[in-house]
Amino acid sequence: MDIEVLTIVFFSALLLVLLLGLPLSFVLGGVSVVFLYFTWGPQSFYMVAAQTWGAMNKFTLVAIPLFIFMAMILERAGVAEDLYEMMYLWFGPLRGGLAIGTVAICAIFAAMCGISGAAVVSMGVIALPSMLKYNYDKELALGCINAGGSLGILIPPSVIMIIYAIISGESVGKLFAGGVVPGLLIAFLLSLYIGLRCLIQPHLGPALPKEQRGNLARKLLAIKAIILPLGVVVMVLGSMMGGITTPTESASMGVLGALISGLVHRRLTWALIKEASLRTFRLTGMIMWILFGAYCFSAAYHGMGAPGLVQDLMKHIPGGAWGSMIFIQAVLFVLGMFLDPAGIMMITAPIFLPVVKAHGFDPVWFGILFTINMEIGYMTPPFGFNLFYLKGIVPPSISMADIYRSVIPYTLVELGGLGLVMAFPALATWLPSKIF
Amino acid sequence: MERVLSAIDFLNDRLGRILSLGILLIFGLLILEVTLRYLLNSPTVWANELTQMIFGAYVVLSGGHLLWCGGHVNVDILYSRLSPRAKALTDVVTSSVFFAFCLMLLYYGGSLALESLGRWEHSQSAWNPPLYPVKLTIPLGALLVLLQGTAKLLRDILVLAGRREPQTPKPH
C-alpha cells in the first residue's frame, strides 16, 4: 500500500475508534499495534515493551504524581480562602476587582502547582459565590475562573511541560523558566480585559459597596495570606532554579510545602490525604497509560514512514516557516477543543517537532507556544476539562451553555497572548537564557 | 458469573486503593534523600533508584483500577448519545482494539520480564538492585487491565443478550 493511503487509513482508524468511545490510551495502543503488525512486523513489539519499561524509568516523570498530589492537597488546604479574603479587601473596591483578584489568585496557584484543575475547583467554590453575591455578571465571573485556572500549566511548575521535555529532550528547567513571562503576561492581559470591560460596562462587575470594604488594619492583616503560598513557591522553584535539586526532588519539596500549609490551616486529616492519594493515582495512571499507548503510536507512525510524508505536506502550506507555525497552532487549537492536553502533546509533539526544528525554530519557544495553546484547550468547548470541573461545582442555576458562552472573550484574550509570544519570541526565551 | 465479575471489580478496586498510597512512599523517599544530602552531607545510593522502582510499579499497575472506575480519558461526543444497548454493542466492537494492545503488552512485556528473570538481571548501579521484580509488573499490569476489560466485555455481552440490566453509573 502507498504510504499516503496507509497514513490516511491509519489516522482515520484512530479517529473512528476514538469517536466510538474507547479510551485514548487503548485507541493509540491498539490501532497502532494492528498497523505495526503489517508494517514493521511483530518483532517491533519488543521495542514498544522496552519503551514502556523506559517510561517507567524516567526520573523526571516521577515529578508528575508529586505535582498532582501537591495540587490535590493545596486545593483543600485552606490556602485559597485566605488568599481570596486578601484579594477581596484589596481589589474589591475596584470595578471588576473581585474577578481581577480571582485571576491573581489563579496565577499564584499556578506557581504552586502544575495542573489546571486545582485553581478552577478552589475558585469555583470560593470566588464564584462571592462574585455572584455582589452582582457580578455570571459570564464574566465564570470565564475568569476558567481562564485563570488554565494558567496552571503555563506558570511553572507544569506537568504538561514535563511531558514536552520528555518527548523533545529539552531541559525541564528551561521550559519552566520560559513559561514565567508569558504566564504573567497572560494573567495581566486577562486582568486588563476585565478591568476595561467593567470600566465601560460597570454593571458587569460593580465595585463593592462602601460598607462592605474592610479598613486598613484588616487589609494589612490579610496580607499574611500570601506568606504560605510564597513559601511553597520558593521551595519548589527556588530549589530547582537555584540548582539545589532536580525537578523531581523540588516537586517533593512542593508536597512538603502543601502539607505544611494544610497543617497550619488545620485542614490536614488522614481522610484528606487518602482521598488526595487516590485522585493522584488515577490522574497519574491516566497520563502514563496514554504515554504507553503513545509509544505504540509513535512506533507505528515512524514504521510506515509518515514523518517524511508530513514534512512534505507541510511544504505545501503557504507562508513558509511562519505559515507552518501558524498552521500547527491552528491544528493544536482545534485538537484542544476535543482531546486531553496530555494526549495531544504525546500524539502531536513527535509529529510537529521535526518540522519545527527543520524550520530553525527554537524548540523551547515552541514548547511554550504549545503549552499556551493547551492552556486554551483546557477551556474551549465542547471538551475543555476546566468546563467540566466548573460544571461539577456551580449552583444549578448556571447551565453548561452559560459556561460555554463565558469563555469566548477570554479565549480571544489568550489567543492574543499566544500571538504576542509568537511575534516576540524573546518573551519566552529571555528568562531561560538568563538563568541557564 | 456475577460473582466472578464482582471479584474482579473488588480486586482492582482494593489494589488501586492500596497502590495509591505509594505516592506517600515516593514523597518520603525523595525528602529523605534531599535531607540527607544537604543537611547531613551523606547522599544515599539507593533512595532515588528505589523511588523510581516504586513509581514504575505504581503507574503500570494502575491500568486495571482506572478501567474499573472509568478513569481512562475518552471522547464521548457521539458515544454519550447512544442508547445503553448501542453502547454495549459499540464496546464489544472496540474491545478488539483494546485486546490487541493489552495482549501485546502482556506477551512482549512478559518476555521482557522473563528474559530479565532468566539472567537474574541487576541494574549495575552503585546500589545494584535486581530489576526483574519491577519488570514483572509490566505483564502483571497488563493482566489486571485484561481482567477488567474481560469483565467489561462479558457484562456488555450479557446486556446485549438481554440477561442483564445496563450498568448504572460506576461507584467512585
Side-chain angles (χ1 to χ4, degrees):
Chain A
M1 213 189 294
D2 275 353
I3 164 176
E4 284 87 358
V5 181
L6 194 63
T7 308
I8 291 169
V9 174
F10 178 55
F11 279 96
S12 313
L14 283 171
L15 192 64
L16 176 72
V17 185
L18 195 60
L19 285 176
L20 289 177
L22 190 70
L24 178 61
S25 47
F26 304 129
V27 174
L28 287 174
V31 174
S32 306
V33 161
V34 175
F35 277 78
L36 261 179
Y37 184 84
F38 291 111
T39 52
W40 271 353
Q43 64 273 21
S44 61
F45 296 156
Y46 279 109
M47 190 180 83
V48 173
Q51 281 178 327
T52 304
W53 171 242
M56 291 160 68
N57 277 299
K58 290 209 166 74
F59 194 59
T60 311
L61 286 175
V62 182
I64 290 179
L66 291 163
F67 279 132
I68 294 173
F69 187 56
M70 181 185 171
M72 299 293 181
I73 299 273
L74 281 172
E75 188 183 308
R76 308 281 168 88
V79 179
E81 279 97 330
D82 283 8
L83 281 173
Y84 189 74
E85 163 83 3
M86 181 181 88
M87 295 301 174
Y88 169 91
L89 290 168
W90 284 91
F91 288 99
L94 295 175
R95 283 183 190 166
L98 295 181
I100 294 175
T102 301
V103 171
I105 297 174
C106 287
I108 296 171
F109 250 76
M112 290 193 288
C113 45
I115 55 173
S116 186
V120 176
V121 173
S122 300
M123 288 297 99
V125 172
I126 300 160
L128 186 66
S130 163
M131 283 191 271
L132 294 178
K133 183 175 142 200
Y134 293 109
N135 294 319
Y136 272 54
D137 177 66
K138 68 180 169 188
E139 285 180 21
L140 185 91
L142 288 166
C144 79
I145 294 172
N146 244 317
S150 65
L151 288 171
I153 57 167
L154 179 58
I155 298 180
S158 161
V159 167
I160 292 289
M161 285 184 191
I162 293 173
I163 297 172
Y164 182 82
I166 291 290
I167 298 170
S168 67
E170 294 300 321
S171 110
V172 174
K174 273 189 188 174
L175 286 160
F176 279 11
V180 174
V181 176
L184 294 176
L185 173 74
I186 289 182
F188 172 74
L189 289 177
L190 290 170
S191 307
L192 192 68
Y193 160 74
I194 297 166
L196 287 176
R197 189 86 197 270
C198 293
L199 198 68
I200 302 164
Q201 297 167 288
H203 64 278
L204 292 181
L208 283 186
K210 284 272 187 316
E211 64 278 10
Q212 299 284 354
R213 301 176 189 177
N215 58 23
L216 190 65
R218 204 174 141 203
K219 280 185 183 172
L220 290 176
L221 196 64
I223 294 185
K224 75 177 192 319
I226 199 79
I227 297 172
L228 275 175
L230 211 60
V232 175
V233 172
V234 170
M235 277 171 93
V236 178
L237 297 183
S239 63
M240 183 171 22
M241 302 290 180
I244 300 171
T245 58
T246 59
T248 305
E249 286 168 345
S250 70
S252 72
M253 303 288 283
V255 173
L256 185 66
L259 291 172
I260 292 172
S261 305
L263 270 180
V264 170
H265 288 99
R266 300 174 185 279
R267 293 285 180 84
L268 200 65
T269 59
W270 176 239
L272 179 117
I273 292 180
K274 239 169 56 177
E275 203 213 326
S277 301
L278 190 60
R279 289 167 65 205
T280 303
F281 179 65
R282 288 176 177 169
L283 194 51
T284 308
M286 181 199 100
I287 293 174
M288 290 299 292
W289 274 81
I290 299 177
L291 187 62
F292 297 157
Y295 279 131
C296 269
F297 165 79
S298 192
Y301 178 75
H302 286 98
M304 60 182 71
L309 178 72
V310 169
Q311 270 181 5
D312 284 346
L313 282 177
M314 298 287 273
K315 284 194 187 121
H316 295 292
I317 294 165
W322 282 97
S324 305
M325 181 52 78
I326 291 167
F327 174 78
I328 288 173
Q329 298 302 331
V331 170
L332 294 178
F333 178 79
V334 173
L335 288 174
M337 295 176 174
F338 300 98
L339 276 175
D340 164 57
I344 298 175
M345 188 149 263
M346 287 184 253
I347 301 168
T348 61
I351 299 177
F352 288 148
L353 262 170
V355 179
V356 169
K357 283 183 183 160
H359 282 307
F361 289 121
D362 178 359
V364 171
W365 171 69
F366 178 65
I368 303 300
L369 294 179
F370 206 136
T371 308
I372 298 175
N373 216 323
M374 291 303 96
E375 184 192 323
I376 298 170
Y378 268 110
M379 54 187 259
T380 40
F383 289 109
F385 276 10
N386 287 357
L387 306 166
F388 291 93
Y389 289 139
L390 208 49
K391 181 70 184 115
I393 48 179
V394 294
S397 62
I398 291 172
S399 70
M400 199 62 178
D402 290 330
I403 300 179
Y404 279 177
R405 264 200 312 277
S406 74
V407 300
I408 297 169
Y410 291 94
T411 305
L412 294 175
V413 172
E414 296 221 354
L415 283 174
L418 178 67
L420 279 176
V421 180
M422 270 175 95
F424 305 102
L427 289 170
T429 55
W430 171 77
L431 193 59
S433 71
K434 282 284 159 198
I435 298 182
F436 297 99
Chain B
M1 173 78 101
E2 284 296 331
R3 283 174 63 184
V4 176
L5 294 180
S6 16
I8 294 175
D9 284 355
F10 182 80
L11 172 72
N12 270 318
D13 175 15
R14 287 308 152 96
L15 194 65
R17 282 174 203 278
I18 296 165
L19 283 169
S20 73
L21 299 176
I23 186 66
L24 300 175
L25 266 176
I26 293 175
F27 161 65
L29 282 168
L30 285 167
I31 287 292
L32 181 75
E33 168 69 16
V34 175
T35 315
L36 288 176
R37 194 167 70 216
Y38 285 100
L39 297 184
L40 304 175
N41 216 356
S42 61
T44 67
V45 292
W46 49 269
N48 282 358
E49 208 171 349
L50 183 60
T51 308
Q52 189 71 61
M53 292 171 125
I54 296 170
F55 172 76
Y58 175 85
V59 294
V60 87
L61 296 176
S62 69
H65 177 82
L66 282 173
L67 192 58
W68 167 76
C69 71
H72 288 290
V73 64
N74 68 344
V75 174
D76 58 1
I77 187 166
L78 296 178
Y79 182 78
S80 60
R81 294 176 191 187
L82 299 177
S83 72
R85 279 179 62 88
K87 271 185 185 153
L89 184 64
T90 315
D91 287 345
V92 170
V93 173
T94 55
S95 72
S96 55
V97 174
F98 164 84
F99 282 109
F101 176 57
C102 295
L103 285 170
M104 183 282 295
L105 205 57
L106 176 68
Y107 185 84
Y108 289 89
S111 46
L112 196 77
L114 286 180
E115 183 264 343
S116 169
L117 191 65
R119 57 190 175 95
W120 303 108
E121 186 189 9
H122 284 243
S123 77
Q124 308 301 333
S125 66
W127 179 36
N128 201 23
L131 284 183
Y132 44 86
V134 195
K135 281 199 175 171
L136 278 169
T137 60
I138 301 178
L140 188 61
L143 199 63
L144 287 168
V145 184
L146 279 168
L147 269 179
Q148 198 64 49
T150 309
K152 183 169 166 44
L153 179 66
L154 289 174
R155 285 191 172 116
D156 286 329
I157 291 174
L158 288 176
V159 168
L160 284 178
R163 302 255 309 271
R164 192 170 198 285
E165 285 301 303
Q167 195 130 23
T168 44
K170 290 264 171 88
H172 276 279

